[in-house]
Structure formats: structure tokens, C-alpha cells
Amino acid sequence: MNTKIIRNSLTAFAVIAAGFVTAYASPQTFDFQDPKGVNNVRFSLDAPLESITGTGTGISGSVRFDVDAPAATTGRIVLDVASLTVGNPLMTDHLRGEHWLDAAAHPQIVFEAASVANVRSQGSQIIADVTGKLTVKGVTREITVPVTFTHLADKLGARLGDPKLKGDLLVLRANFTINRSDFGIQPGQNTDKVAETIQLSLSIAGAAPRS
Amino acid sequence: MNNAARFPEVLCTTAWIVSLATLGTWLFTGAHTGWTQTRVITLQHDEITGIEYPVFHDAFVAGVEFLAAGLVIGAALAAFGLWLGRKRTAAHV
């Protein structure tokens, strides 16, 4: 009788422990299609005659992240070119038009993470250099981006206002620059009004629901 | 003095009003050195994630082409008023 109780207890413990390990220690896949629509990339170009700032909010993709092994992070983030907006409607049309980003022919900007290096902790955040392939207007270049990872355990329900919803959040932040000529965007043209260097600021949150 | 005689003076006054109103609007909306904007971004804060996200609002921010157009119209009105005034003065002499 006692043996049976002990065996059952051990089995129950093993199941619970396995569930705990699965829930908290294994890699999770975070979906960056944000239902609240706050995920955004801000861009700014500071040319001698014109400063342009704008945003893009059409972000999707997924990242596989393990809080215990952030160096193994992989993922793909996609930005819809049609979601890029600046303050002037005509300028927005030009930005998406064929002479600049050509949203009709190249509707997405894609970053595909290939490797993670120089991982270090800063408080509750993890900072790392993420190297991957950035594709803009059909041109793919390898870039390295400093990324801050913030893992928010069990915050999905609170964020979406549904306490029954279980799951974690992963917030990614990155500030980096690219050169438009590297991606064949009017190289060397109109540099007095449209700066060659584009400063990008990415702030996105992904969700990994648990059942 | 009849209305026709006062016309050059009215033109010059209008030129001043147009020029000052244009300059005032441009300065009041932020002296923006780019093109005119009809939407502006304000940043809001997502409580749980701490993400700052942009929200667009309809707003008029006068740009350099608005300033240039207003000043050109003002200058044209002033020039026409002065020309008309001199023409009438010469006709009276």
C-alpha cells in the first residue's frame, strides 16, 4: 500500500516537474503579431534640407527564445512596407512608391536572425548582438544589431486584460542605422533632402501563450 | 477719397496682413523646416511592456512651402499696390 502511494506520488511529482520545466525552461516561440497594435519601428532621416521621421506598425513574425539560453535565439521579424507612414500624405505615397521602397513589388522588409553573440545581463534585461539578414526592397545584407531582450513571465493575461490567459511576453528593443544605398534605394540621389543614413528604433512585444 | 483711390493702400495693407499671418502661422505651428504636415505623431506608453508607441493625430503643421507661398503672395500684393499707387500719382501730376 505504502509502496503504491510513494510510486503514485513520485509519478505525480515527475509529471508536475516535467510540466514546470516545459513551461519555464524550454525555448518558447513568441508571436509578434501584436493584438494591441503597439509594436512599432520608428525611423528618422536627417538631411541638410529636410528631416523626415515616421513609423511602421505592420509588424509580424516569430522569435524562438529561451531565457536560460538566449544565445540560441532564432527568429524572423517582418515589417509591411505599406504600414510605413510619415506626417505628410504625399511624402508617404512617395516613400511607398516605386522610386523609393516600391511597396507593390517588395511589400515586406524582413530581418532573419542567424546568430546571437556577446550576451550579457543588465538587471532583468538581456543584451546581445544579433546578426542576421535584413532584406529591404529585394536586397539582402547581413547586419549586426544590438538587441535588448526583456522576458516578462506570466504577463500575457495582464497585458490583454484577460487574467485567464496564461503566457509570457518577450519585449525586443533595438536602435541601429542602415544606409539606404546599401539596399539600392536611390543610391546617391537627393541626399540634400533624404539622408543616406536611416536611424531605426524598434520596440516590439511578442506573446507565447500557455495552455 | 473714393474707394478706387484707396485701392493701392488696401492692397498694401492686405499684403502686410497675408505676410504676417503666414509668418505667424508658420512660427505658431513650430517653425517646421520640412514640408507641411497634416498629421503629427505623439508617443504613448504601453503599461505592461513599457513600449512607447506612436499615435497619429490630425494636425496642421505649416511647412516651408506654406511660408514661401504666403510671403510670395504678400510680396505680389504689395508690389501690385505700389505699382498701382505710383501709376495713379503719375496720372494726377
Side-chain angles (χ1 to χ4, degrees):
Chain A
M1 182 69 181
N2 280 345
T3 313
K4 193 177 179 185
I5 290 170
I6 292 168
R7 191 185 303 139
N8 286 345
S9 299
L10 286 173
T11 307
F13 176 77
V15 168
I16 290 167
F20 183 83
V21 167
T22 303
Y24 291 98
S26 62
Q28 292 170 283
T29 300
F30 293 85
D31 181 5
F32 282 81
Q33 185 94 49
D34 183 24
K36 289 185 77 175
V38 307
N39 284 350
N40 70 88
V41 59
R42 278 180 272 162
F43 58 90
S44 64
L45 299 88
D46 196 11
L49 296 182
E50 177 91 56
S51 288
I52 300 169
T53 57
T55 65
T57 53
I59 291 169
S60 58
S62 64
V63 169
R64 194 161 168 80
F65 176 80
D66 184 348
V67 71
D68 293 324
T73 301
T74 57
R76 187 172 191 265
I77 297 296
V78 178
L79 170 67
D80 288 336
V81 175
S83 75
L84 294 173
T85 308
V86 294
N88 182 302
L90 186 63
M91 201 184 286
T92 298
D93 288 344
H94 286 169
L95 172 69
R96 299 174 187 170
E98 64 176 320
H99 294 299
W100 292 94
L101 288 174
D102 197 2
H106 306 285
Q108 294 181 327
I109 293 170
V110 180
F111 179 74
E112 193 135 19
S115 64
V116 179
N118 197 18
V119 180
R120 65 262 189 212
S121 293
Q122 192 176 72
S124 61
Q125 297 177 324
I126 296 166
I127 301 169
D129 296 332
V130 179
T131 299
K133 288 180 177 172
L134 178 66
T135 303
V136 182
K137 205 181 176 183
V139 177
T140 301
R141 294 265 183 262
E142 187 173 280
I143 64 166
T144 298
V145 179
V147 179
T148 302
F149 299 81
T150 308
H151 181 245
L152 301 170
D154 292 323
K155 290 291 186 184
L156 179 60
R159 181 161 190 257
L160 298 181
D162 182 0
K164 291 177 192 162
L165 203 57
K166 302 294 178 196
D168 297 352
L169 298 171
L170 179 67
V171 181
L172 305 182
R173 291 185 177 85
N175 295 300
F176 59 104
T177 59
I178 58 171
N179 291 325
R180 64 181 170 92
S181 61
D182 289 346
F183 297 92
I185 305 168
Q186 298 256 13
Q189 301 292 307
N190 303 101
T191 50
D192 53 341
K193 293 177 191 162
V194 183
E196 165 64 16
T197 302
I198 305 170
Q199 295 167 345
L200 296 159
S201 178
L202 181 81
S203 300
I204 56 176
R210 271 199 309 273
S211 50
Chain B
M1 189 181 280
N2 60 26
N3 285 343
R6 291 186 59 188
F7 190 58
E9 192 181 318
V10 170
L11 279 177
C12 287
T13 307
T14 307
W16 272 109
I17 292 170
V18 168
S19 300
L20 289 174
T22 302
L23 188 63
T25 304
W26 182 71
L27 289 171
F28 184 72
T29 59
H32 181 58
T33 53
W35 299 113
T36 295
Q37 297 188 351
T38 53
R39 300 173 83 199
V40 293
I41 298 171
T42 56
L43 292 177
Q44 294 194 0
H45 200 254
D46 184 56
E47 197 179 329
I48 301 291
T49 61
I51 288 177
E52 271 194 336
Y53 62 98
V55 177
F56 278 96
H57 300 280
D58 288 338
F60 180 76
V61 179
V64 287
E65 85 280 24
F66 176 87
L67 179 67
L71 294 180
V72 165
I73 290 169
L77 286 171
F80 185 56
L82 288 173
W83 173 77
L84 212 56
R86 283 184 185 173
K87 191 179 167 193
R88 288 197 176 159
T89 306
H92 281 99
V93 171

